[in-house]
Each structure stands twice: as structure tokens, then as C-alpha cells.
Amino acid sequence: MKASRIAAATAVAGTAVLAVSAPAFAHVSVQPEGTAAKGGYAVVDFKVPNERDKASTTKVEVNFPADHPLASVMPEPIQGWKIEVTKSKLAKPLTMHGEKIDEAVTKVTWTADGDGIKPGYFQKFPLSVGALPEDTDQLVFKAIQTYSNKEVVRWIEVQKEGQEEPENPAPVLELAAATGDHHGTSTAEDASDKTDAKNETTAAADEDAKSGSDTTARVLGVVGIVIGVAGVAYGVLAGRRRTA
């Protein structure tokens, strides 16, 4: 009896621990739509879950890494949310498409017009970003989540190698290897190459069709000659039979 009671108590305690620790798995995260290749552009989604039972998320702030500034950041409109993009001067200007960029986006803020993210729901906040850096494997963003009860949760702790995940980890965007010389982006040169290849294929098909037509005409001509000769021979033989 004592053993069974101890086992039951242990099971209840284990369930309680899981229930308490479960919300720690639901944190603000960032994932690309497709591939986020180095040197290219990508659309990324910041996923924000509501971890409270009696409060809604009414504000989300995402701070961009200062060590790897992004010159182009464009948010997608979201119904029920106001969006503010904050830019700051760069200590070291960037060169992009042959032009020098002396400022970059340092923060994007979403503020709810209505209820925000209600308990039991999550919201995605899409951004188009680029050009992604080529000298790092990941970008670390620091996010701040504000609830309707004025509670603020700071998702700003950086994961350290070899250690357990922190209580409030910062969203991390993993970068894929650059794809070819164009870093995952499509260019006019690529389109031109595809068009030339298509034209060459079409021309080859036309030549094959023309060659086939010529061969058919020759075969029909030979058949016609053979039939003509056979007709003449038949006429000669018929004439001889009548004379006889």
C-alpha cells in the first residue's frame, strides 16, 4: 500500500511539473517562409503565442541586431494592428546595389487596435528582410511582449552553446548557405539565359519538323514514280495482248 501511494504521489507531482513547465516551450520565435539564404532576401514570420489565461497580447516589439544591420525591412499589413518601423543612423554605412546606405531598421513595433492576441491563440507577424549577411550563420532578434494587464515579457536571452535553453530565449533566425553567385535571388541574366535556351529548343524543333517534312515529300515522290512506271508497264502489256 505504501509503495502504491508513493508511486501515485510521484505521478501527480510529475504531472504538476509538466503543467507548470509547459508554457516555457511556447515563446516568441522566428522562421523563414522558405529559405533564408546568406546574401539574399527572405520573408520571415515572428510567431507570438499568448501564454496568459486572463490577458491578451497587445504589443510586440522586435529589435534588430546592431552587429548585422539590414537595409531593407518591409512589414506586411495585418488587420487589427498598427505597425511602426524605426530607423537609426549606422556607425558604418552599408553598400547595397552600388549605393551607400547610412541608416537601417533597428526596431519594428506592432500595437493592437482591438483585442490583440487572445488567450489560447497565437499571431504571426511577417517581414520581408534583406540583404541577409554573409559573414554569420544566424541572426538574433530581441523581442518584447506586452499584455493587456501591463505585464511585459522580454524575450532577450541569448542561447549559449552547450547550455540549456534560457527561460526567455531571444528569437533566432538560422541562415542557409548562399545559392550560387546570385545568393538565392533571381536576376535578369537568369531570365535571359532561360529565354535563350527556350529559343534554341524551339529552333531545333522547327529544324526537325522541316527535315521530317522533306523526307516525307521525298518518299512520296519515289512512291509516285514507282506507281507511274508500273502503270506504263501495265499499259504496254495490255496493248500487246490486244494485238495478239
Side-chain angles (χ1 to χ4, degrees):
M1 291 293 292
K2 289 183 179 180
S4 61
R5 290 178 181 177
I6 293 174
T10 302
V12 171
T15 303
V17 170
L18 289 175
V20 171
S21 61
F25 293 99
H27 52 74
V28 177
S29 60
V30 59
Q31 290 293 332
E33 294 183 6
T35 302
K38 297 178 182 180
Y41 290 77
V43 175
V44 298
D45 295 327
F46 286 89
K47 181 180 178 182
V48 181
N50 191 331
E51 295 183 304
R52 301 296 177 263
D53 296 329
K54 298 181 179 180
S56 298
T57 296
T58 56
K59 187 177 181 181
V60 177
E61 301 174 54
V62 172
N63 294 276
F64 285 71
D67 55 344
H68 293 99
L70 301 176
S72 176
V73 177
M74 293 185 292
E76 178 179 325
I78 303 177
Q79 186 175 0
W81 294 83
K82 293 181 179 178
I83 306 174
E84 181 182 358
V85 178
T86 303
K87 294 184 178 182
S88 300
K89 290 288 184 179
L90 296 175
K92 183 179 180 180
L94 299 174
T95 301
M96 186 175 180
H97 301 300
E99 297 182 3
K100 286 189 176 182
I101 308 297
D102 60 356
E103 67 176 9
V105 173
T106 53
K107 182 173 67 173
V108 178
T109 305
W110 292 267
T111 305
D113 283 338
D115 296 332
I117 308 173
K118 296 180 180 181
Y121 291 86
F122 73 90
Q123 175 74 52
K124 287 184 178 181
F125 298 91
L127 291 175
S128 174
V129 298
L132 298 172
E134 300 182 63
D135 57 349
T136 183
D137 294 327
Q138 62 182 23
L139 290 177
V140 179
F141 300 86
K142 295 185 178 182
I144 300 176
Q145 183 177 12
T146 303
Y147 288 91
S148 56
N149 59 2
K150 308 303 180 183
E151 179 186 1
V152 177
V153 180
R154 302 178 183 277
W155 304 97
I156 61 174
E157 299 179 54
V158 180
Q159 173 73 50
K160 294 182 179 180
E161 187 176 357
Q163 296 186 9
E164 295 183 357
E165 184 180 66
E167 184 177 356
N168 295 315
V172 178
L173 177 65
E174 300 293 340
L175 302 181
T179 55
D181 296 334
H182 304 300
H183 310 293
T185 60
S186 178
T187 65
E189 184 179 350
D190 295 333
S192 177
D193 291 342
K194 292 179 181 178
T195 302
D196 292 341
K198 182 178 180 181
N199 291 338
E200 290 176 3
T201 302
T202 303
D206 292 340
E207 289 294 332
D208 291 341
K210 183 177 179 181
S211 177
S213 299
D214 292 343
T215 302
T216 302
R218 291 172 184 173
V219 171
L220 292 176
V222 172
V223 172
I225 292 171
V226 172
I227 293 175
V229 171
V232 172
Y234 178 78
V236 172
L237 291 174
R240 289 181 178 177
R241 287 178 181 175
R242 289 176 185 175
T243 302

